[in-house]
Amino acid sequence: MTDLQVKSTEQNGLHLHLGATDKFKTISIMLMVNAPLREDTVTARALIPHVLQGGTTDYPNRKQLKQKLEEMYGATLTADVQKKGDAQVITFRMDVASEQYLKDSVSLVEEALTLLHQLLYQPVLENGVFVSETVEQEKRSLKQRIASIYDDKMRYANVRITEEMFQQEAYRLPPYGREKDLDQIHSQTLYEAYQSMLKQDRFDLYVIGSFQEEDVKQIVSRVFTEQHQTGKTIEPTKANKRIEQIHIVHDEQQVKQGKLHLGYRTHSTFSDDDYEAARVGNALFGGFPSSKLFINVREKESLAYYAASQIESHKGVLMVMSGIEFDKYDRAVEIIQEQEKAMKNGEFSEAEVEQAKGMLLNQALEALDAPRGIAELSYHEIVANHRKSIQERIEKIKTVTKEDVVRAVSKWELDTIYFLTGQGGKV
């Protein structure tokens, strides 16, 4: 499956990416709308995809939209908002059945692209702006989603360490927006933000599955006739801040278990030569159940209920996340830093490197087993503004050596230690 080519062209400033393959029974259509993370737009942009799903001029409410999807042999439509480096990305996804598996001769791809276009360009309006009832309903829903993050203490700790670690950088902003902005948003301001999105953002449209490339290109040129910003490229995220001293933050709440998160600057992003080596390093450090953090912090010392790390591809961030007893803070910090030092000293075997590479390759191959995964993997190149195909990345992982890993992890710098402890908790 790794030989799949995603072919890219541009039409009216819309970036079209086609991955034709007979491997899947469904065709996935994904539209990514990318703009820089900004304080004045982050919450409005997080609301827009949900308001747009409220209906189109042809299907003016959620019920009729759902009926239309059911008529399209159970097609699905979802939308979400993510953060990739310093960019906020709105994604619309549609999945439809591949036509060769249908009895009827219908062009579901054309129907899906037409519906997606309507969703984006023909929303239901009231007095020339969004319907106020829909906007208020989606504001309430977003408020509930933000509240649910506060209730999930692991996610909450991740939000807080990100705010603290990137105080002067756009990356501090959550992709789903902020509750404090909601009161300032109403139908008119949201509609203006939507108009600005259509004019200024970069649009990338992926179609992955079984189809004739020329047919889809023609459909897209017929349906998406609007002019987008031609040749708009994404400014890659800057990730080169140096650490002068470790920032330590303790918050107190009524929690039963402490959340200890450590944030590192890796100084390696998607476009760097040692990016794959840094990923192998993270896999050894805390990325899998066989990693140093899991074995030493959780298993050997019984210090944590969980201990893991994850790496962000575009900002060059590595986050260590652990759940600990309040009084285990000092020892947990000490042992996590011991594991970091062991990584930098090369205290791991060639066999462990090969095992970590195997797990990362399995992950990549699993992603390639779904149309959505192919689009997500391919989109990294757009966000980084750096051409490095999925196949090249897989081959690069295979060639990573122990020396490469040591060189990559030696660049890691601890930036912030965040601890969410119980009220009155002493550490």
Side-chain angles (χ1 to χ4, degrees):
M1 187 58 224
T2 56
D3 58 357
L4 172 79
Q5 292 292 308
V6 177
K7 297 179 183 174
S8 301
T9 55
E10 193 183 303
Q11 291 184 183
N12 300 333
L14 172 73
H15 300 266
L16 178 62
H17 311 278
L18 302 179
T21 170
D22 290 331
K23 182 172 182 186
F24 308 116
K25 291 187 176 178
T26 58
I27 297 173
S28 272
I29 297 166
M30 295 173 66
L31 179 67
M32 277 83 155
V33 185
N34 184 308
L37 274 165
R38 278 181 23 202
E39 202 159 1
D40 60 337
T41 59
V42 65
T43 307
R45 289 184 87 258
L47 273 172
I48 287 167
H50 299 288
V51 170
L52 292 179
Q53 285 184 97
T56 71
T57 48
D58 284 359
Y59 310 100
N61 55 49
R62 284 183 180 271
K63 187 180 177 187
Q64 289 187 32
L65 202 53
K66 196 175 174 210
Q67 280 174 346
K68 172 61 181 168
L69 291 166
E70 283 170 6
E71 286 165 16
M72 293 166 62
Y73 296 88
T76 60
L77 166 67
T78 57
D80 65 22
V81 187
Q82 295 171 296
K83 177 163 64 174
K84 292 187 184 295
D86 289 340
Q88 185 187 25
V89 182
I90 299 168
T91 303
F92 297 91
R93 293 190 182 93
M94 286 193 76
D95 291 307
V96 295
S98 285
E99 282 146 34
Q100 73 251 40
Y101 297 105
L102 303 176
K103 291 175 189 170
D104 305 331
S105 176
V106 292
S107 179
L108 278 184
V109 172
E110 183 159 9
E111 279 195 54
L113 286 166
T114 302
L115 185 59
L116 182 62
H117 179 271
Q118 279 197 16
L119 198 79
L120 208 62
Y121 291 97
Q122 295 167 32
V124 181
L125 301 180
E126 167 186 86
N127 302 322
V129 297
F130 287 132
V131 178
S132 57
E133 188 184 340
T134 306
V135 172
E136 291 307 313
Q137 183 183 331
E138 293 306 334
K139 280 167 62 177
R140 287 192 296 273
S141 295
L142 181 54
K143 194 172 183 177
Q144 286 169 354
R145 285 197 295 279
I146 293 170
S148 74
I149 290 160
Y150 182 88
D151 294 338
D152 179 340
K153 297 308 176 188
M154 187 166 85
R155 287 179 72 195
Y156 173 78
N158 229 32
V159 169
R160 284 287 296 119
I161 190 172
T162 303
E163 287 174 349
E164 293 288 344
M165 190 168 164
F166 301 96
Q167 289 178 30
Q168 308 304 318
E169 298 169 70
Y171 192 76
R172 73 187 185 281
L173 297 166
Y176 46 78
R178 305 175 302 179
E179 185 181 341
K180 68 179 184 180
D181 299 334
L182 288 171
D183 288 343
Q184 311 304 316
I185 295 172
H186 47 80
S187 302
Q188 179 71 42
T189 56
L190 192 64
Y191 189 72
E192 286 165 6
Y194 155 76
Q195 290 288 335
S196 172
M197 177 191 89
L198 294 183
K199 288 190 187 85
Q200 296 176 8
D201 291 7
R202 176 180 164 123
F203 285 70
D204 286 271
L205 179 62
Y206 282 83
V207 185
I208 311 286
S210 181
F211 53 81
Q212 297 299 315
E213 283 180 19
E214 276 311 310
D215 291 351
V216 172
K217 279 185 188 174
Q218 285 177 20
I219 293 166
V220 171
S221 67
R222 275 200 312 273
V223 174
F224 286 83
T225 55
E226 293 78 10
Q227 179 66 47
H228 297 83
Q229 278 213 7
T230 307
K232 186 175 175 71
T233 55
I234 292 164
E235 200 62 39
T237 295
K238 292 182 177 66
N240 54 4
K241 183 188 175 221
R242 289 282 153 195
I243 314 304
E244 286 165 18
Q245 69 178 69
I246 297 167
H247 183 39
I248 298 172
V249 181
H250 290 173
D251 281 349
E252 291 185 6
Q253 278 187 17
Q254 284 188 318
V255 289
K256 292 190 173 75
Q257 182 194 101
K259 304 295 177 193
L260 173 63
H261 288 207
L262 279 69
Y264 290 81
R265 305 261 183 173
T266 65
H267 303 291
S268 300
T269 61
F270 183 85
S271 52
D272 293 316
D273 286 342
D274 63 1
Y275 167 69
E276 280 77 16
R279 287 191 65 211
V280 175
N282 175 61
L284 288 161
F285 182 51
F288 292 104
S290 57
S291 64
K292 285 186 176 295
L293 290 181
F294 190 88
I295 289 168
N296 292 289
V297 182
R298 186 178 183 274
E299 300 287 293
K300 283 187 184 171
E301 296 258 346
S302 300
L303 278 172
Y305 301 99
Y306 60 89
S309 66
Q310 63 184 29
I311 211 162
E312 201 278 346
S313 306
H314 301 285
K315 189 66 179 172
V317 185
L318 182 140
M319 287 291 186
V320 173
M321 299 155 290
S322 64
I324 62 171
E325 297 286 353
F326 304 136
D327 60 355
K328 301 279 178 67
Y329 170 83
D330 289 326
R331 180 64 183 136
V333 170
E334 182 183 14
I335 199 164
I336 290 167
Q337 290 187 279
E338 281 173 10
Q339 304 317 305
E340 172 209 337
K341 191 176 176 186
M343 289 295 303
K344 290 175 176 176
N345 290 339
E347 293 172 22
F348 50 88
S349 67
E350 301 278 2
E352 287 172 312
V353 173
E354 290 307 309
Q355 183 187 24
K357 284 160 60 175
M359 288 174 170
L360 287 173
L361 290 167
N362 282 341
Q363 255 186 2
L365 294 171
E366 273 177 33
L368 291 172
D369 269 339
R372 185 172 295 184
I374 294 166
E376 292 275 11
L377 282 175
S378 174
Y379 190 60
H380 282 299
E381 296 172 63
I382 310 297
V383 175
N385 195 11
H386 181 81
R387 182 80 192 157
K388 197 196 288 186
S389 72
I390 298 167
Q391 181 62 42
E392 286 173 314
R393 282 173 261 164
I394 285 171
E395 292 305 318
K396 190 87 185 277
I397 289 171
K398 289 178 183 175
T399 65
V400 169
T401 64
K402 180 178 176 179
E403 290 71 28
D404 294 333
V405 174
V406 172
R407 194 164 51 249
V409 303
S410 293
K411 289 160 58 178
W412 295 356
E413 285 187 287
L414 180 58
D415 182 307
T416 301
I417 299 173
Y418 174 83
F419 189 45
L420 177 61
T421 185
Q423 286 180 326
K426 296 285 183 280
V427 294

